[in-house]
Amino acid sequence: VDADRLERTRAVFGDPNDFPSSPLYRRLADYVATDDDLLALAAQGRPGQYPSILLFGAVHLLLLHHYPDDPLAAFYPTVAGASAHLPDHRAGPALRAFCLAHQDEILAITRTRLVQTSQVQRAIAIRIALAAIADEVIGPLQFIEVGCSVGLNLRFDRYGYRLGGVSFGDRDSPVQVDAELVGSEPAPDLDRLPVIADIRGVDLNPLDPLDRDVREWLTALVWPENADQRQLLERALGVAADTPRVVVRGDAIEALPALAAILPPSSARFVFHSATRMHVPHERRAAFDAAVLSLGDSGPLWWASVEGAAKTDPRPAGGRPGAALRLRRPDGGRSILAIVEPHLRWVELLSTR
Ligand SMILES: C[S@@+](CC[C@H](N)C(=O)[O-])C[C@H]1O[C@@H](n2cnc3c(N)ncnc32)[C@H](O)[C@@H]1O
């Protein structure tokens, strides 16, 4: 691994804003950032794949299914249950020992798998963006999600939602997404959506919700403390298995222009992606953006995304750190609709007045 890549990997593990809901992963990430052997291991994943999420997912998968008695597993509530140790100074060295002992097995995972974490909770970002444009869209909307993984966000119309204590969507759905509302803006009406014509997904590697191997990998990608997300994932996989949706296999850079060519001319279209562009290698991101914009070649395009912090935080100082829910309208105007916890556990809507 060259020195550049090692340092980029160190910067990722050293980011203090990562893993906000996992004290264990924050502790382990701090440790990895100081350990060149572990950084070199983590740096060998597939290009663009976020190395900390990929390494920790691989380790978690091995602990869950092959090494539940390893000393490292004692820190994982998913393996050790309620008696799991709180992360302390022993966790980092235990990770190091595990990684050095099982290096080949880890590489077999990180060199072949993608970070395909599917956060059902992010569907609420889709509802917020659709509600924000409901008055602007004329005619039925073509919905496209880029990086849909196993397609849980593609079933955004099948879930119930609570935002700031107000209920929306399907109250009888087995999947109920609940997000805290932060700040002074009231919850928008998440049931006021444009009429949707078609819902389609695009992914490098679309996953089958019925495949056991897929379910195990997606479960391993959920951070160990997040039992609520694991439960939501399991339920949403059930909904996905029962709700067919069209998914195109391919790199967005080629797949989106091809999709643009088959959309009904002049039809309104909405594209969404979350935690997808961050896994596109840096040198391909301009091409990724151009491919998304090509969807607007033959009709008005609304483009919403959740991909990381805003360059300049639009809020007064002191807000919770979070990602920006961005919107680009057909006239090219860009705005930030909300600052959100990266997994959409909380939402701070920004004033549009
Ligand atoms: C971390 S997952 C996020 C899944 C989902 N969007 C969510 O927010 O829960 C990223 C997904 O993007 C896909 N992906 C990454 N690069 C891509 C590309 N260039 N074109 C299409 N899909 C891509 C991956 O295969 C993966 O399924």
Side-chain angles (χ1 to χ4, degrees):
V1 175
D2 67 51
D4 249 22
R5 187 148 187 201
L6 201 72
E7 290 317 311
R8 279 203 306 273
T9 308
R10 193 189 308 282
V12 169
F13 279 91
D15 185 340
N17 291 327
D18 276 357
F19 305 117
S21 58
S22 177
L24 176 61
Y25 280 6
R26 281 205 304 277
R27 181 110 202 177
L28 296 178
D30 282 350
Y31 184 88
V32 175
T34 64
D35 186 307
D36 284 5
D37 293 329
L38 294 185
L39 286 173
L41 177 65
Q44 293 175 61
R46 288 176 52 173
Q49 299 299 300
Y50 208 71
S52 53
I53 301 176
L54 193 59
L55 176 70
F56 292 162
V59 168
H60 197 193
L61 185 69
L62 291 171
L63 291 174
L64 283 168
H65 300 289
H66 299 287
Y67 303 105
D69 299 325
D70 188 275
L72 178 62
F75 292 95
Y76 284 66
T78 40
V79 189
S83 61
H85 303 317
L86 290 176
D88 60 22
H89 63 280
R90 297 166 299 170
L95 176 72
R96 177 178 165 82
F98 183 83
C99 287
L100 296 185
H102 302 290
Q103 197 153 339
D104 292 345
E105 289 156 280
I106 290 170
L107 286 174
I109 297 169
T110 58
R111 284 182 175 154
T112 53
R113 300 211 187 228
L114 298 171
V115 177
Q116 296 201 269
T117 320
S118 215
Q119 289 293 353
V120 188
Q121 185 91 8
R122 293 196 181 115
I124 204 163
I126 294 177
R127 299 287 287 230
I128 292 170
L130 288 175
I133 67 170
D135 287 338
E136 304 163 23
V137 175
I138 297 170
L141 188 69
Q142 304 285 331
F143 178 100
I144 298 139
E145 187 194 1
V146 187
C148 61
S149 178
V150 73
L152 305 187
N153 285 339
L154 292 177
R155 278 73 177 185
F156 67 87
D157 54 335
R158 298 301 169 102
Y159 305 149
Y161 299 90
R162 271 177 88 73
L163 181 58
V166 187
S167 298
F168 304 98
D170 180 352
R171 287 150 178 85
D172 297 325
S173 170
V175 176
Q176 296 294 325
V177 173
D178 192 343
E180 181 193 350
L181 184 62
V182 175
S184 51
E185 288 297 310
D189 181 353
L190 300 186
D191 288 328
R192 271 196 69 246
L193 307 180
V195 176
I196 311 276
D198 267 312
I199 299 179
R200 292 191 181 87
V202 173
D203 201 283
L204 271 182
N205 182 39
L207 298 175
D208 173 359
L210 289 169
D211 183 323
R212 205 182 77 173
D213 193 50
V214 162
R215 297 171 90 106
E216 288 181 357
W217 176 232
L218 292 179
T219 303
L221 284 167
V222 178
W223 306 343
E225 294 91 337
N226 292 334
D228 56 337
Q229 292 181 351
R230 253 185 309 284
Q231 193 192 57
L232 214 50
L233 169 68
E234 214 166 281
R235 293 180 173 190
L237 285 168
V239 174
D242 290 342
T243 316
R245 289 279 134 95
V246 175
V247 178
V248 177
R249 175 185 293 272
D251 190 316
I253 295 170
E254 288 94 39
L256 294 179
L259 184 57
I262 61 160
L263 293 177
S266 311
S267 61
R269 56 270 331 247
F270 173 87
V271 63
F272 177 78
H273 52 86
S274 53
T276 295
R277 188 179 184 274
M278 63 182 280
H279 299 285
V280 175
H282 282 272
E283 63 280 10
R284 292 175 64 78
R285 288 190 186 166
F288 177 91
D289 295 342
V292 172
L293 280 177
S294 77
L295 290 170
D297 287 351
S298 56
L301 171 70
W302 284 262
W303 173 8
S305 64
V306 178
E307 292 288 348
K311 279 202 191 82
T312 21
D313 195 319
R315 301 169 299 173
R320 300 183 188 184
L325 169 54
R326 297 183 166 86
L327 177 69
R328 183 191 185 278
R329 293 190 153 87
D331 64 5
R334 291 174 191 263
S335 52
I336 296 179
L337 299 178
I339 304 297
V340 300
E341 196 274 337
H343 292 164
L344 272 293
R345 287 181 180 277
W346 56 259
V347 170
E348 182 170 354
L349 293 155
L350 300 181
S351 166
T352 46
R353 275 164 275 142

